[in-house]
Amino acid sequence: MLCAELVFRVFLFDKYYKHTYFIQRRCIPIAANNSKDTLVNEAIDFPEVRVIGADGEQLGLMSSDKALQMAYDKGLDLCLMSAQANPPVCKIMDFGKYRFDREKREKEAKKKQQTVELKEIQLSPRIDTHDFETKAKQAKKFLESGNKVRVVMRFRGREMSHMTIGREVIDKFADYCKEVGTVDKKPSIDGRIMSMVVSPIVQKNSK
């Protein structure tokens, strides 16, 4: 943070014209080299801008200097919302609060984003019932967590002549997981390996 949020006024005395005037500046927290930062206050330098008030009211067209003074008079900031518009659109607001709310929303959205991993479960054509159920339950946990599952079956030696048995085991595995997953990639054979991919079923929130 380069500076704390504050409003300050500098009073100057003109000895020639014998009157006092002030220069008003509003300093806000800024992040260095952050491309997402919005142009604010003195950084806005357009001959004419369209101004939106703090409550969303349309204040019309005016010079950026006049718009900036209006913002300062309210103890707020002038923020550039659309530089591509003709003329550019600015809004009077508390930029510190605006950016805080924006970053909060971005963090919440990031938390909701889920990284999908591809988990692997290995089977064999001669797997017994206990091992089958154990691995199927593990696959269901992976799917319930939002991850995909790659089911792999390796055929060794003479098992290659009984691939139909392996297919039956894999189909049974898919049926066991059907409540939480759907077959994304059907069983296929590559050499001595038969595999399929099961994807989690997206749960819709009911209100």
Side-chain angles (χ1 to χ4, degrees):
M1 182 177 294
L2 299 185
C3 60
E5 184 173 2
L6 56 99
V7 177
F8 64 91
R9 296 181 178 183
V10 179
F11 289 88
L12 301 175
F13 181 73
D14 192 324
K15 64 180 180 180
Y16 295 104
Y17 294 97
K18 296 183 179 180
H19 69 273
T20 302
Y21 62 96
F22 66 86
I23 300 173
Q24 187 175 12
R25 293 289 184 271
R26 179 173 170 86
C27 184
I28 62 172
I30 59 174
N33 299 323
N34 189 342
S35 60
K36 294 194 298 183
D37 278 354
T38 305
L39 288 180
V40 296
N41 299 336
E42 286 83 2
I44 300 173
D45 185 19
F46 295 99
E48 186 178 59
V49 293
R50 186 180 300 279
V51 182
I52 302 173
D55 297 325
E57 69 275 23
Q58 297 288 335
L59 301 181
L61 302 177
M62 62 187 74
S63 67
S64 58
D65 288 340
K66 181 179 179 180
L68 181 59
Q69 189 59 51
M70 289 180 65
Y72 284 160
D73 290 344
K74 296 178 181 294
L76 298 173
D77 303 294
L78 183 67
C79 306
L80 181 65
M81 306 305 292
S82 178
Q84 290 75 27
N86 187 19
V89 178
C90 296
K91 185 175 183 179
I92 295 174
M93 66 171 72
D94 184 336
F95 182 66
K97 182 177 183 300
Y98 166 78
R99 191 170 61 184
F100 174 81
D101 292 340
R102 182 183 66 187
E103 291 175 353
K104 184 179 179 181
R105 289 193 300 269
E106 290 174 351
K107 288 180 181 178
E108 290 176 351
K110 189 175 182 179
K111 287 180 180 179
K112 292 179 181 179
Q113 291 178 350
Q114 191 174 34
T115 302
V116 178
E117 296 182 14
L118 181 62
K119 303 291 186 177
E120 184 170 292
I121 297 290
Q122 295 189 12
L123 304 176
S124 68
R126 299 180 181 180
I127 188 169
D128 60 42
T129 302
H130 176 72
D131 286 346
F132 178 89
E133 291 180 352
T134 299
K135 294 194 175 188
K137 289 178 181 178
Q138 184 63 56
K140 289 180 74 172
K141 288 182 180 180
F142 289 148
L143 293 167
E144 288 169 350
S145 299
N147 297 307
K148 292 186 176 184
V149 176
R150 181 171 181 255
V151 184
V152 177
M153 179 173 292
R154 287 180 171 82
F155 296 90
R156 295 177 174 84
R158 295 182 180 181
E159 290 177 348
M160 287 293 293
S161 61
H162 301 286
M163 299 189 74
T164 54
I165 298 176
R167 177 58 187 263
E168 290 175 0
V169 172
I170 277 195
D171 288 342
K172 182 180 177 182
F173 196 91
D175 186 66
Y176 191 97
C177 300
K178 66 181 180 181
E179 294 181 359
V180 293
T182 180
V183 177
D184 188 33
K185 181 182 177 183
K186 294 182 178 180
S188 60
I189 299 174
D190 183 11
R192 291 181 173 270
I193 296 176
M194 180 183 294
S195 65
M196 73 173 177
V197 176
V198 183
S199 295
I201 295 176
V202 178
Q203 300 292 334
K204 295 183 179 180
N205 296 325
S206 56
K207 295 183 179 180

